[in-house]
Amino acid sequence: MESFINFFSQIWKGFTALELSKKLSILAIAAVTCIGIGAMVYWTSQPEYRVLFSNLSAEDAGNIVSRLQEKKVPYKMSAAGDSILVPSDKISELRLELASSGLPQGGGVGFEIFDNKSFGTTEFVQQLNYQRALQGELSRTINGLDEIQQSRVHLVIPKKSLFVEDQKKSTASVILKLKSGRTLRPPQIDGIVHLVASSVEGMNPSDVMVVDNSGKVLSMIRDESKLARMSNSQVEFQRNIEKDLTNRVQTMLERVVGEGKVVVRATADLDFRITEKTEEKYDPEEPVVRSMQRQSQKSGTGAIAAGGQSTIAPVGGKQTSSTATKQGPGSERLDEVVNYEINKVVSKTVMPVGEIKKLSVAVLVDGLYVKNDKGVEEFQPRSKKELADLEELVKKASGFDTKRGDQVVITNVPFNKGDFDAANGVKGSWQEKVPVFYPVIKYLVMLAVLALLVLFVLQPLIKMLLVKAKTPAFVAREGQPPQPGELEGIPSPLAIGDKSMVALTETELVRQMANADTRRFAELLRLWLR
């Protein structure tokens, strides 16, 4: 304890020996250091806030804030007022509790409007509440999409009429507010249109209009011709085939030449003609019995036995006629007519739509990079044999057919690796890991700042004060010798030299001090040099 008191007494002694300007500077540095340390401690002691709910409507945000205030849970609101942040250790508990209370509702009122039953409600009010509930439920469902930040649905449901010709169709309008940087693809827009149309009785997809918050129409015009719709689907079908073919070839080549060192583009010429083929085949070698007729006659008188046969071939078939007569105690006559049909096979074939007529594949392959004598990488083209092997692989993977006139071209060119790194998202990939290590980084930053303050502020300051406390206090007066006792611990040059009061010059005074106490004079000299 005594050494501790001596340590601070020496610091105070060195502080009092400083000039006024240096004292003010040290006080300012100490104040800034204390404020910085206090700010760091306050920052690290604050709880970490994370998003509880985002993209909230004004009604949901107000209801959630009210519940948080009732539970006395600290929270923060975003600048836009659509996101609420709470301490990270309470997120799961609050989400479960708010979900059990039906929050957030997702904007608008849903079918929970019918939970509170009231007597005396008219049919008009019930119908209006049903329409409001249906609009709210559709809006909540659409808000569940990743690209949608907020949506509103407006339904027009006319009254039912007794006459069909007087019945009007139901219509709907959907207003979407997309998240920043997000867009909707045509299949997603069609999905929203069919979702709304299927949720309202008697509504067709052509009666649904979808617009964004800037007023741009997103849904397709449904009164287009069948041929135009077919053309759109054909283009999409062709793009899907080309994309699938490009992906297959590129992934295969990247396993051979390396990732990011090959670019593949494929073009497919498709035949979208609808062709029906009808074919009839006749086989005269295998006739088929179409009909048969027999007639027999008997009598009691006899006659000369006779027999005959005749054949008549009608058009499109074959006919055979035979007659037989028998004589005896009684007579009998038998007539038989058989009609034959020639065997015929009728086949009807519908040719496939979207058959590939011609295929073209272009491939760019990066070369090799070899360091020269100066250590600089130089581009070295691939050998012809290697390019031929790659071309054969592309033909096998793409279904190359010489009868169709397919083409495959492989070109060896140098690539700029930086472009592929940017395209593959190498830059900024570390940012995804920052939130995971955020608590650790926060404390590491605090420790680093404290270490810098101790090493570069506190340690030099304390060392300077200690040296100042051990250094004899002396203030040179121009043209005057130091007074007795002014040099603490160093004998006065007046006592060392001549006993008389003789004024010494500065040079002589310094020489006298150096001769009196060499060690302490060296400390004083080091202080002056600083």
Side-chain angles (χ1 to χ4, degrees):
M1 188 66 182
E2 183 178 358
S3 60
F4 186 74
I5 295 175
N6 293 333
F7 174 75
F8 276 99
S9 63
Q10 291 180 2
I11 293 179
W12 177 253
K13 186 177 180 181
F15 179 75
T16 55
L18 294 175
E19 298 178 359
L20 180 61
S21 58
K22 294 184 178 181
K23 291 181 179 180
L24 295 177
S25 300
I26 292 176
L27 290 176
I29 294 174
V32 171
T33 304
C34 293
I35 293 173
I37 295 175
M40 292 292 296
V41 172
Y42 176 78
W43 176 53
T44 54
S45 62
Q46 290 297 314
E48 182 184 359
Y49 282 82
R50 295 179 60 186
V51 177
L52 177 64
F53 293 110
S54 60
N55 301 326
L56 296 172
S57 62
E59 297 177 358
D60 288 339
N63 294 332
I64 293 176
V65 167
S66 299
R67 293 296 301 273
L68 294 178
Q69 290 176 350
E70 292 177 1
K71 295 179 63 64
K72 297 182 179 180
V73 176
Y75 65 91
K76 292 182 180 180
M77 294 287 296
S78 62
D82 57 350
S83 299
I84 299 177
L85 293 82
V86 296
S88 58
D89 57 341
K90 297 183 179 180
I91 284 183
S92 301
E93 179 184 354
L94 290 175
R95 283 180 179 175
L96 292 175
E97 184 175 352
L98 292 175
S100 62
S101 303
L103 293 174
Q105 297 179 350
V109 63
F111 283 111
E112 67 273 2
I113 192 174
F114 295 104
D115 293 341
N116 300 325
K117 298 181 180 179
S118 58
F119 295 98
T121 304
T122 62
E123 183 181 357
F124 173 77
V125 175
Q126 287 284 66
Q127 185 65 27
L128 184 61
N129 289 338
Y130 172 75
Q131 182 173 341
R132 290 177 57 196
L134 187 57
Q135 292 177 167
E137 293 293 337
L138 287 173
S139 179
R140 295 175 184 177
T141 304
I142 296 174
N143 290 341
L145 298 178
D146 295 336
E147 292 81 3
I148 305 300
Q149 178 176 349
Q150 190 178 358
S151 66
R152 292 197 66 181
V153 180
H154 302 277
L155 300 178
V156 178
I157 304 177
K159 295 181 180 180
K160 293 184 179 181
S161 176
L162 297 176
F163 303 98
V164 178
E165 59 272 11
D166 296 337
Q167 181 64 42
K168 297 180 180 180
K169 296 189 298 183
S170 301
T171 58
S173 299
V174 182
I175 302 176
L176 303 178
K177 182 179 180 181
L178 304 180
K179 295 180 181 178
S180 178
R182 298 293 188 91
T183 56
L184 288 177
R185 294 179 287 108
Q188 292 175 308
I189 299 174
D190 290 341
I192 295 175
V193 170
H194 285 80
L195 171 67
V196 176
S198 302
S199 302
V200 181
E201 182 181 1
M203 182 179 293
N204 297 322
S206 59
D207 301 324
V208 181
M209 180 64 66
V210 181
V211 297
D212 60 5
N213 56 336
S214 62
K216 180 181 177 181
V217 178
L218 301 179
S219 58
M220 299 173 58
I221 306 300
R222 297 296 170 177
D223 56 353
E224 58 186 3
S225 62
K226 180 180 179 181
L227 182 60
R229 293 195 299 269
M230 186 180 299
S231 300
N232 294 332
S233 61
Q234 289 174 357
V235 172
E236 184 178 358
F237 178 72
Q238 180 178 358
R239 289 179 178 175
N240 291 336
I241 289 182
E242 294 174 350
K243 184 178 179 181
D244 179 68
L245 180 61
T246 301
N247 185 44
R248 281 191 297 166
V249 175
Q250 184 160 355
T251 52
M252 179 190 65
L253 292 181
E254 284 182 346
R255 296 292 183 91
V256 180
V257 299
E259 186 176 358
K261 293 188 176 182
V262 61
V263 177
V264 181
R265 294 293 182 268
T267 302
D269 186 9
L270 305 182
D271 185 6
F272 291 102
R273 293 179 299 176
I274 301 176
T275 305
E276 294 184 2
K277 180 180 179 182
T278 304
E279 185 177 5
E280 295 184 1
K281 293 182 179 180
Y282 295 92
D283 188 4
E285 300 298 331
E286 296 183 2
V288 180
V289 177
R290 184 176 65 179
S291 63
M292 179 181 294
Q293 181 179 359
R294 290 181 180 180
Q295 182 179 3
S296 63
Q297 183 178 2
K298 293 181 180 181
S299 61
T301 60
I304 299 174
Q309 182 175 356
S310 63
T311 302
I312 302 175
V315 179
K318 184 176 181 181
Q319 183 179 27
T320 301
S321 176
S322 61
T323 302
T325 303
K326 183 179 179 183
Q327 185 179 8
S331 63
E332 179 179 359
R333 182 175 180 176
L334 177 63
D335 294 334
E336 185 178 38
V337 179
V338 181
N339 294 323
Y340 293 94
E341 187 71 31
I342 298 178
N343 188 15
K344 181 177 68 172
V345 178
V346 180
S347 61
K348 184 177 181 181
T349 306
V350 179
M351 304 302 292
V353 180
E355 185 178 4
I356 299 177
K357 295 194 301 182
K358 185 179 180 181
L359 191 64
S360 301
V361 182
V363 181
L364 295 179
V365 181
D366 194 9
L368 303 176
Y369 296 90
V370 181
K371 291 185 178 180
N372 56 14
D373 299 336
K374 298 180 180 180
V376 180
E377 290 186 349
E378 292 182 351
F379 172 75
Q380 180 179 352
R382 298 181 183 270
S383 62
K384 294 184 178 180
K385 183 179 181 304
E386 187 176 0
L387 293 178
D389 294 339
L390 294 178
E391 183 177 354
E392 191 66 24
L393 287 176
V394 173
K395 289 181 179 181
K396 296 296 183 182
S398 60
F400 182 84
D401 190 358
T402 55
K403 297 180 180 180
R404 294 186 310 217
D406 295 349
Q407 295 180 350
V408 174
V409 178
I410 297 182
T411 306
N412 186 203
V413 294
F415 283 7
N416 185 0
K417 190 175 183 300
D419 296 340
F420 284 97
D421 291 342
N424 294 330
V426 175
K427 294 182 179 180
S429 59
W430 60 272
Q431 297 176 355
E432 299 177 357
K433 302 179 181 180
V434 170
V436 179
F437 301 100
Y438 178 76
V440 179
I441 293 175
K442 182 172 67 174
Y443 291 107
L444 289 178
V445 170
M446 183 192 69
L447 293 177
V449 173
L450 291 177
L452 292 175
L453 288 175
V454 171
L455 292 176
F456 296 100
V457 178
L458 296 181
Q459 184 177 358
L461 185 62
I462 293 174
K463 187 175 181 180
M464 184 187 69
L465 294 177
L466 292 175
V467 172
K468 188 67 177 178
K470 295 178 181 180
T471 304
F474 167 71
V475 180
R477 297 179 179 86
E478 184 177 357
Q480 295 183 7
Q483 301 299 325
E486 194 172 15
L487 299 177
E488 299 179 3
I490 298 179
S492 176
L494 299 178
I496 296 174
D498 191 6
K499 300 297 182 179
S500 60
M501 298 295 293
V502 179
L504 300 178
T505 62
E506 293 181 356
T507 305
E508 294 175 350
L509 178 61
V510 171
R511 185 178 296 111
Q512 292 283 352
M513 294 172 59
N515 294 330
D517 194 336
T518 305
R519 183 179 62 82
R520 300 191 65 180
F521 178 77
E523 295 180 358
L524 178 62
L525 184 60
R526 280 196 296 268
L527 178 63
W528 287 350
L529 292 176
R530 291 183 182 178

